[in-house]
Every structure is written in structure tokens, then in C-alpha cells.
Amino acid sequence: MVHLSRVKRGKQAQKPQHEQDQGEGAATPYVYGTHYATEELPEHVMSEREMPADVALRLIKDELSLDGNPLLNLASFVTTYMEDEAQNLMTEAMSKNFIDFEEYPQTAHIQNRCINMIANLLNAPITEGNSDQDCLGTSTIGSSEAIMLATLAMKKRWQNKRKAEGKDWTRPNIVMNSAVQVCWEKAARYFDVEEKYVYCTDTRYVIDPKTAVDMVDENTIGICAIMGTTYTGQYEDVKGINDLLKAKNIDCPIHVDAASGGFVAPFVRPELEWDFRLEKVVSINVSGHKYGLVYPGVGWVFWRSPEYLPEELIFNVNYLGSNQATFTLNFSKGASHVIGQYYQLIRLGKHGYRSIMQNLTKVSDYLADDLKKLGFLIMSDGNGRGLPLVAFRMKPDDDRLYDEFALAHVLRQRGWIIPAYTMAPHSNQLKMMRVVLREDFTMHRCNILLEDIKAALKSLEEMDAEMIQKYTLHLRAHSDRKLPQQHAHYKNEKHSLQGRTGKTHSVC
């Protein structure tokens, strides 16, 4: 039965005077009825007057809706999901300046707990009876800052040794894989360290231990080994490098870049020796905001003992009310991400992390098997021998009209962000794609992705050469219009690997 209402008119429809609005400001203006809806948002100069909070919120949210969906962003290793409880904790801590130990002592204690828990995962050595020689570490903004600090420590230690021996200390170098993340190039360039690359080939995408050790000379400050490269997710043979250095009696430290693998390998392949169990490994960095399962950005860096972190890099300050030692590139930073890391460590425990990483490994192996059935060549290592990701490329075919970049563009229309890029230098310009599995990538979503890949391949197969050319040119032009433009003054730089070789820095 429908209730019928009588329509009131005239005096009957008028409210008593005391019920009517008591002035213009009584009701909050409707956002799209304000003059702001007909004006362009400020881009270059601040406006003279304030904007109502609800209007500013709504207009910015409207613009951000044009960004991609984080759940469908399979390009990034960075965490895109945390529980509401963790988010609430982090929100409450946003106003805390982490560096202010005097004001926020419990936050400092929480950082120390995180350092101890993570160092334990990395099998940090503990010296009995002399805590001054135990492993030490610190939180960072991310692995980029951690790598900068580790590079500085290796360089300063090498310089001190050379000066003590009365030898030239002005030409340091570092040995690393050409597939390193760009932050290693930055560290070497910013701190005047020569880069010595072990180049990948079209069949080997990780560092070759023998070649790396053969490159070491009296000016080498260290070798970088990667636990989970950004290109293929493979673990480099840290033990192989360690054993060769020992066999040849070469005094050269190893820094392990475990930005991605540091929270994966201990739970999926605990028997794998890559960490402080190896004598030559003197420092390790891990990213809390990758498989540490915290929103960006937080990283961690550890040294085997104070011997590997020269004292002259440490600064003691007391102007925040207490004496404290600091080794960071920045000073102030928010405390929320350290607290978020602690939440995850105690919320999940070893069993929780192990369950998540094993689930991701299982789903990534399933995805790799199905992509192989579709005719793709798999470039990553499965069964827990690398990160839970799938790097793949198309089989060589001169008759095929489309490539990995075209496939990536078609998938982008469906919302999936899957990067297509070229492999590191000296790899025969191999084109490839990569799907990074994060904790929220379930088997159900994996099957949806596979169905969309099949549909994308079918649509590309049905296009002729002219249509594919028009299609990809249109999509790339559309993509370029959406992205911020590179500064014209710097777009032709030639000093980076990308500038010199065309290497693509894959998204991490």
C-alpha cells in the first residue's frame, strides 16, 4: 500500500517564523552551488581569500579520483592496504616529530623494539658480555635514505683505512649489478663514488659473483648484492660473493639491498643464507613500506657492529631536551610510520607474516603457470626463490604486430597498471612486463586479471598494423598529456644508466 500525502499550498505551506532559517550562514553551502565550482583551482599563485574546508576537501577528492586505483596498481612494491586499526594509530601519531625523543620517549622505545625485532629476522650477531659491539640500526624515510647512509659508512670506513696506511683515498668505487634501483646511482654520484657495473645479459638478470669479485680493487668500498631486483624479483647470490671473497682473502664488505626481499626471504626461504650469517655482509637495508606491510615511507638499515659505522658520521645533539645520537640525512620526520611498523610486527607476528608471504608465493606461481600457458616467457624465479612477482615477456615473433607496451596500454583501459619496460643495459633491449603481488592480491583477483589479459590479447590480435599503430600512438599521447612534463632543462642528461644506455628504471 502506498501512502498518499496531501499537497499543502499558500499559508498552509509556510513554516512558523521561528522555524525558518535565521540568516544566510545557518546552512552549509552546497559545494557545487558555490562560485568555486565555476572557477579553476589555484595552480601557480595562492588565492587571496580562504576557501571553506568542505569545499576544499570535495574539490581535491574529485581531482584525486582521476588517479589509478591502488588495488589495481601492480607496478608498485609499496604497500596499499593496512587495517583500520593501524591507520587510526598512524593518524593519531601524525603530529609527533619522531626526532623529539624527550617529548615522545615511548615512540623512541617503539623504534628500538622494531630495530631489535627486524635485526633478529636478519640473524644479527650478538656479542656476549659486550653490548657495545652488538648490531645497530636506525629507521629511515625509506630504503633510498638507508642506502645513502650505508654508502656513506662504507666510503668513510674505506677512507679511514687508506689514510691510516698512507695511501690515496680520493678514488673510491663500488661494484653492483646494472639492474640496481636508481637510488644506488644517486648514492654513487652524490657522494663521489665511481660506479663499477656487472652488466646483465639476455639470459642472466642478476649479478655474476665471479665477475663482481674480479672487479674489486684497492679502491672498492664494497659490493652491493640485491635480495629481489626491481626488474625480475630474483635474489642475487650473496653467499657466492661472500665465499669467493673469503677464498681469495679479499677484504671487501658486502652491503645487501634487501629493500624488497628482507621481509620475504626469512619467512619463505629461511634456510637461504644471505644476511648477517655471512661473514662479509656488514650492512643490510630493508623497506618497511614494501613487504614490511606499512604505508610509505619507512625503511630500516643495520650494521653488523659499530666497526662498520664510523664514529665521525654520528652527531650528538641535546637541543630537544635530551642527549641523543643521530645518523640521518634529514632531521624531523613524522612518527606515524614507525608506529605503523610496530603495529604490524606485533599484530602479525612471525606466523602472520609467514602466512601472507606464502600465500603471495602460491598465487604468483599460479599466475606464472597460467601466463606460460598463454605463450609468455617467464623471467622471474618461482617457488619462493625470488620475490612474489611475475616478470614475463612475449616470445620472439616477427609476424606479431604488437608488443608488451601495447598490451600494457590495453590493460590500462580496464584499470590494471602493469608496467612494460626494457631490461637493464647489455640485455639485448629485451621488452618485458611485471606483475607485483602485494598482500591484497587474492587468487580471485588473479583470475580476473588473467581473463582481462586474454581479452586484451584477443583484441590486439584482431587489429591490423595500421589500427595498432593509431591505437598505441593515441594511448601514449593521452598518457603523456596526463603526466607532469619533465623539466626541459634536464631531459637530455647523459650521466645516468638510462641516459647512457636507454635503461628503463622499473617502477618500485
Side-chain angles (χ1 to χ4, degrees), residues 205-206 229-234 379-381 389 391 421 423 432:
Y205 316 124
V206 292
T229 68
T230 57
Y231 283 84
T232 61
Q234 294 170 292
M379 303 171 69
S380 47
D381 292 334
L389 64 78
Y421 50 93
M423 187 54 197
M432 59 185 295

Side-chain angles (χ1 to χ4, degrees), residues 173-174 176 185 188-189 193-197 495 500:
N173 67 62
I174 187 168
M176 52 190 173
E185 290 187 63
R189 180 159 293 270
V193 178
E194 178 193 356
E195 306 132 285
K196 296 180 75 171
Y197 291 112
H495 56 261
R500 295 199 305 270

Side-chain angles (χ1 to χ4, degrees), residues 5 13 54 65 79 102 177 179 189 219 233 247 280 319 336 357 414 431 480:
S5 295
D54 59 320
S65 69
T79 296
E102 173 75 7
N177 181 4
R189 180 159 293 270
N219 293 319
K280 295 294 184 178
Y319 40 71
S336 58
M357 302 311 160
R414 172 69 166 150
K431 296 177 184 178
D480 289 342

